[in-house]
Amino acid sequence: MIKQMLLNGNTFQYLEYGERSAPPIIALHALGKSAESWKQIAAELGEEYRILALDQRGHGGSEKTGVYSFELMCDDLLLFCEYLGFKTIYANWSFYGRDSILPLFRKISVHD
């Protein structure tokens, strides 16, 4: 299901699969791609998990902001998680999507 939200004054689009009560997985696409790149995998994993594939700023159905950096993309991801009320997440990313999530680990506490 395609959904949209407003984060920091910018519109972001994401795809959601699975039940709301299932453990969430956030899937990040590569630069120049979109959440659609996760569609097939998300459909399969959606049987056990809640899959949220975010169109990062300037990609897919998300707003073209004119200002881009990995730090801003990380901030967007943090706001996305806060908006959805996540306390625990599983994250998966493509090779280039890692650049958006690695700064995230500098901003949150990771516990075993």
Side-chain angles (χ1 to χ4, degrees):
M1 172 181 291
I2 298 173
K3 296 186 174 186
Q4 289 190 333
M5 65 175 59
L6 194 63
L7 302 173
N8 256 358
N10 297 307
T11 302
F12 287 84
Q13 182 170 291
Y14 65 100
L15 302 177
E16 183 171 7
Y17 299 83
E19 298 294 322
R20 288 185 61 83
S21 60
I25 295 176
I26 297 174
L28 299 176
H29 58 77
L31 289 175
K33 300 294 183 182
S34 73
E36 289 286 325
S37 62
W38 291 103
K39 198 171 185 175
Q40 183 177 356
I41 293 168
E44 290 180 35
L45 290 176
E47 294 175 15
E48 294 183 44
Y49 297 94
R50 180 181 179 196
I51 309 299
L52 300 131
L54 176 66
D55 277 332
Q56 297 178 79
R57 69 173 47 222
H59 294 77
S62 291
E63 189 171 334
K64 313 306 185 237
T65 64
V67 179
Y68 304 94
S69 72
F70 291 122
E71 286 74 22
L72 286 172
M73 293 168 96
C74 178
D75 290 343
D76 296 338
L77 181 57
L78 282 171
L79 289 172
F80 181 65
C81 291
E82 288 174 12
Y83 177 90
L84 294 168
F86 293 156
K87 294 183 178 46
T88 302
I89 61 168
Y90 301 90
N92 193 353
W93 57 90
S94 65
F95 178 74
Y96 288 106
R98 82 192 187 291
D99 295 320
S100 297
I101 201 164
L102 289 178
L104 176 68
F105 295 114
R106 291 187 214 118
K107 296 185 180 202
I108 62 171
S109 298
V110 178
H111 302 280
D112 293 331

